[in-house]
Amino acid sequence: MRCNAKPYQDKEPYFFVSYCHKDSHRVFPIIERLARKGFRLWYDEGIQAGSEWPEIIAEHLYSADACVIFLSNEYAQSHNCRKETNYAIMKKIPVIAVYLEETHLSPGMELQLGLIQYVMEQNDYGVDEICEKLGDSELLKECLGEPDLSISLQDYENFVEESADLSEEKKEKWIDRWFKEKVRKREKKSEISSDNLEVEIPKKSNMDDDPVTVLMGSSEDDIETVAVESLNVYFYRCSTGEKIKLAEGLSKIGRSSEKCSLCIDGNIKIGREHAEVRVIGGHCFIKDLYSSNHTYVNKEKIQEEKIMELHSGDEVMLADEVFEVIIEEGMEDNQNRFYLVDSGSGDRIEIEKEYFSVGRSDTKSDFVIKNNPKIGRCHAVFSIDRKKSRVCVADQDSKNGTYVNGEKICSGKEIWLKDGDEIMFADQVFIFHVS
């Protein structure tokens, strides 16, 4: 597989592309698009494993204005690729790192990468957006010349989709049937069998005399409904203060907004699909999904295939990200619920989290407004005061502003809302409702 963009060979400023040749199908689309936009760049067309690190690479890297490295597990295991990273950092060449996937780094490499100036993840963006982000980087401004529209863009989508399908097939072996549940009552304690993993939930003082037993591995069609105490389960993210409510049933938690219902952004050590949690009647269970950096409960590493029950006050670590488990009584029947109603489509969106963000970004917003470039990535945030049963909104320094009843609000200033208020994000209008 060859790239249609030619490596730059003249004396004007350019940047060096460091990548593993096994990642060509992911890197070449980015190289071609950047070169077509006019960026001067130099890359080697693939370093074979075990080959001598050529002097010409050192010369081009030393002369470059910046270095863009595309990190992957293949890259981290390549002796030659690590040499390029070491050399760039040693010579104080500005480095931009793009993570192509969740990557397991050696302690030494992890320490070195802590010195780089800019990091982004292709997992969170498409190829075009990655190119846009790189193009906006101040480190590469001097490397931009005239566009070269003669560079044709190859179609790598089929290759990528086949690779993704193979990966998913492997995952299905342990993901597909895990946590298919059947909830039932029993008079006696349930025994653990080889066919079904049974976890007995201790009874509460205000429940009936039978314990509730969860069978992991049963058909989802056989689920029975059991009346349970009204409890809510939350993960409190210690680094940000965010209180994340876990929905009843199965939730996947990780860095991927596409594959996980609970997306944890801002930490590259968390896997794209890091763990699964199951909430049943105020009880919570967790299982690690073969993550590279593991899942811990109260400092104890969860072993593969092991399911652990969580209790209020437990500490959960996804890699090095710390969460506290909070289990508390549900809302009273007379407590208000808050909604946004899209004045155009009539869609109703519930503001159900203490901090509820609105914006264009899948990873930074709880409610995503699509197909409107005037909306900021994280445009505004709503905050719920449960004690006084009210909601405020604050603009997050958006370019096109947030308006309440036609009046633009200052960035960061909290405005308390009342039923029927009109809220406008840029030019998109919503009505705030309380019920």
Side-chain angles (χ1 to χ4, degrees):
M1 185 181 299
R2 300 185 67 85
C3 182
N4 287 331
K6 299 299 181 183
Y8 182 71
Q9 300 290 352
D10 216 332
K11 296 182 179 180
E12 291 189 78
Y14 67 91
F15 65 89
F16 184 99
V17 176
S18 177
Y19 74 105
C20 179
H21 76 281
K22 292 182 180 179
D23 295 321
S24 298
H25 63 284
R26 292 188 282 186
V27 176
F28 284 177
I30 299 173
I31 289 177
E32 289 176 350
R33 283 158 175 77
L34 289 173
R36 186 179 171 89
K37 287 183 177 182
F39 281 97
R40 296 181 291 270
L41 54 90
W42 191 93
Y43 69 98
D44 182 85
E45 294 188 61
I47 304 171
Q48 298 299 323
S51 63
E52 182 181 356
W53 196 56
E55 187 69 25
I56 189 171
I57 288 183
E59 292 176 1
H60 280 90
L61 183 52
Y62 180 76
S63 302
D65 278 43
C67 176
V68 177
I69 63 176
F70 289 92
L71 284 168
S72 67
N73 287 306
E74 296 286 357
Y75 186 101
Q77 294 169 14
S78 167
H79 184 61
N80 287 317
C81 290
R82 293 199 304 271
K83 275 186 176 180
E84 293 175 8
T85 301
N86 295 341
Y87 189 78
I89 293 175
M90 180 180 67
K91 294 298 182 182
K92 295 182 170 54
I93 298 169
V95 175
I96 297 176
V98 179
Y99 280 80
L100 296 174
E101 62 187 10
E102 179 188 352
T103 305
H104 179 70
L105 303 176
S106 66
M109 193 170 187
E110 188 173 358
L111 178 64
Q112 282 190 311
L113 291 177
L115 303 174
I116 67 173
Q117 299 185 29
Y118 193 71
V119 180
M120 65 176 68
E121 298 185 58
Q122 188 171 4
N123 295 332
D124 294 337
Y125 304 106
V127 169
D128 290 332
E129 195 165 8
I130 275 284
C131 292
E132 181 182 347
K133 294 289 182 183
L134 288 171
D136 290 340
S137 172
E138 291 296 327
L139 298 180
L140 305 184
K141 290 296 185 185
E142 296 299 319
C143 305
L144 181 59
E146 294 297 322
D148 186 354
L149 301 182
S150 66
I151 298 175
S152 59
L153 305 179
Q154 300 184 62
D155 181 12
Y156 296 88
E157 290 184 0
N158 291 335
F159 184 91
V160 175
E161 286 175 0
E162 288 172 8
S163 301
D165 289 343
L166 289 175
S167 176
E168 289 303 316
E169 285 178 9
K170 294 178 181 178
K171 292 179 183 177
E172 287 298 327
K173 292 180 180 179
W174 63 81
I175 291 177
D176 185 43
R177 289 189 57 80
W178 181 72
F179 259 175
K180 303 280 186 179
E181 68 175 16
K182 179 180 179 180
V183 180
R184 66 180 181 179
K185 294 182 178 181
R186 285 196 176 182
E187 295 179 358
K188 293 174 61 177
K189 270 193 171 182
S190 303
E191 297 178 356
I192 297 178
S193 69
S194 58
D195 295 327
N196 294 296
L197 172 60
E198 300 183 355
V199 182
E200 183 174 322
I201 303 174
K203 57 190 176 184
K204 302 289 183 178
S205 59
N206 59 343
M207 296 174 68
D208 56 34
D209 292 334
D210 292 332
V212 178
T213 302
V214 184
L215 274 67
M216 314 301 181
S218 303
S219 170
E220 206 163 45
D221 297 333
D222 297 332
I223 296 175
E224 301 172 21
T225 302
V226 177
V228 293
E229 184 179 6
S230 178
L231 294 172
N232 290 328
V233 182
Y234 301 88
F235 272 13
Y236 177 81
R237 189 177 182 182
C238 298
S239 63
T240 64
E242 182 182 8
K243 190 176 179 181
I244 305 167
K245 184 179 180 181
L246 304 184
E248 190 80 8
L250 176 66
S251 298
K252 194 175 291 186
I253 185 168
R255 212 173 64 242
S256 171
S257 60
E258 295 179 356
K259 299 185 177 182
C260 298
S261 53
L262 296 176
C263 178
I264 308 298
D265 60 353
N267 189 335
I268 60 174
K269 294 183 180 179
I270 293 177
R272 298 188 68 190
E273 299 172 85
H274 197 103
E276 285 186 332
V277 291
R278 169 72 74 178
V279 175
I280 304 173
H283 297 272
C284 185
F285 304 87
I286 188 167
K287 178 185 177 182
D288 183 77
L289 291 180
Y290 292 76
S291 62
S292 295
N293 295 313
H294 312 298
T295 302
Y296 302 81
V297 176
N298 298 325
K299 303 293 192 298
E300 178 186 347
K301 178 182 171 182
I302 299 180
Q303 300 301 320
E304 294 177 358
E305 298 297 335
K306 184 176 181 181
I307 299 167
M308 292 190 68
E309 183 176 3
L310 301 175
H311 303 88
S312 192
D314 282 349
E315 177 188 275
V316 174
M317 286 179 60
L318 307 179
D320 60 356
E321 189 75 43
V322 180
F323 299 83
E324 180 187 350
V325 180
I326 300 174
I327 301 177
E328 58 189 21
E329 292 184 7
M331 292 191 305
E332 300 292 338
D333 291 339
N334 61 352
Q335 192 163 5
N336 288 333
R337 304 179 81 96
F338 309 101
Y339 300 90
L340 292 176
V341 178
D342 190 324
S343 62
S345 66
D347 291 341
R348 190 171 75 159
I349 303 96
E350 183 174 2
I351 304 170
E352 57 183 356
K353 297 168 62 175
E354 275 71 9
Y355 297 98
F356 186 85
S357 55
V358 175
R360 197 177 75 246
S361 169
D362 289 333
T363 59
K364 297 181 181 296
S365 303
D366 297 304
F367 170 54
V368 180
I369 300 176
K370 298 181 178 180
N371 303 320
N372 189 340
K374 295 182 180 180
I375 302 294
R377 294 181 63 81
C378 180
H379 197 101
V381 172
F382 292 87
S383 302
I384 300 178
D385 181 346
R386 293 288 185 195
K387 290 184 179 180
K388 296 185 178 180
S389 193
R390 59 179 184 168
V391 172
C392 69
V393 64
D395 183 80
Q396 298 298 295
D397 199 25
S398 64
K399 182 177 180 181
N400 294 308
T402 301
Y403 300 78
V404 176
N405 297 325
E407 184 176 345
K408 185 175 182 180
I409 64 177
C410 298
S411 178
K413 183 179 179 180
E414 295 182 341
I415 302 296
W416 294 102
L417 303 172
K418 61 182 183 296
D419 188 40
D421 279 349
E422 179 188 272
I423 304 171
M424 188 163 67
F425 308 115
D427 58 357
Q428 195 141 344
V429 179
F430 294 82
I431 305 300
F432 175 74
H433 279 303
V434 181
S435 68

